[in-house]
């Protein structure tokens, strides 16, 4: 498996573990309205972000130590094509979800429900981007 494919897997797994845990915790936690709500959600999000950074940092160090020269090489045409395809599809997913969050949700929800929906849209778009990259490497889509 190529270095960039392993990086895509690492980023995909890091997103799913860290922010999957965040959204599960947000759905379970029920802070007292108004008082500790903001601090609770910001703390949970900070913990999820630190978990993701830890997963990415340790994974990147391990990959770089094990893959040596390949890890230091510049991305080739295939890597750039895979990244471009993932970014394009992820952009349309993000655009669609943000239209829903920005146009529909303010009519039905307020506060943290809208904010967490916007965070979910960003996380879903990033997961789609990395999943497209992984599929592109696996199936040889790089044209």
């Amino acid at each position: 498996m190529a270095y960039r494919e392993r990086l895509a897997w690492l980023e995909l797994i890091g997103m799913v573990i860290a922010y999957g845990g965040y959204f599960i915790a947000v759905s379970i936690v029920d802070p007292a309205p108004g008082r500790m709500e903001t601090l609770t959600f910001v703390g949970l999000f900070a913990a999820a972000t630190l978990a993701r950074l830890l997963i990415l940092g340790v994974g990147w160090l391990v990959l770089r130590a094990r893959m040596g020269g390949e890890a230091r090489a510049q991305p080739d045409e295939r890597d750039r094509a895979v990244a471009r395809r993932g970014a394009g599809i992820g952009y349309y997913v993000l655009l669609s979800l943000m239209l829903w969050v920005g146009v529909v949700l303010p009519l039905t929800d307020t506060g943290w429900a809208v904010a967490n929906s916007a965070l979910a849209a960003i996380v879903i778009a990033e997961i789609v981007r990395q999943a497209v990259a992984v599929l592109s490497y696996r199936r040889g889509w790089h044209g």
Side-chain angles (χ1 to χ4, degrees):
M1 191 182 312
Y3 172 72
R4 305 249 179 245
E5 181 180 356
R6 290 179 188 214
L7 270 184
W9 274 110
L10 179 66
E11 291 184 25
L12 180 64
I13 291 169
M15 290 290 285
V16 169
I17 290 173
Y19 295 114
Y22 170 76
F23 288 113
I24 289 171
V26 164
S27 67
I28 294 171
V29 169
D30 188 21
R35 293 187 314 175
M36 298 298 288
E37 191 176 33
T38 299
L39 186 60
T40 301
F41 288 140
V42 169
L44 287 172
F45 186 74
T49 300
L50 287 176
R52 179 173 181 250
L53 290 176
L54 185 65
I55 291 168
L56 290 180
V58 170
W60 183 79
L61 287 173
V62 169
L63 284 178
R64 193 155 173 102
R66 295 178 85 192
M67 307 225 30
E70 186 179 348
R72 290 174 183 81
Q74 294 293 319
D76 60 11
E77 290 180 24
R78 180 183 71 152
D79 298 326
R80 287 192 294 269
V82 165
R84 192 172 40 248
R85 176 188 299 265
I89 294 173
Y91 170 76
Y92 286 112
V93 169
L94 178 63
L95 185 65
S96 302
L97 292 173
M98 290 309 284
L99 283 174
W100 176 68
V101 169
V103 175
V104 176
L105 274 186
L107 302 174
T108 60
D109 289 315
T110 60
W112 278 103
V114 175
N116 280 325
S117 297
L119 287 173
I122 293 168
V123 168
I124 290 169
E126 184 64 17
I127 287 172
V128 166
R129 184 178 77 87
Q130 294 302 332
V132 167
V134 166
L135 284 174
S136 295
Y137 280 114
R138 291 277 95 196
R139 303 219 172 187
W141 300 333
H142 50 80

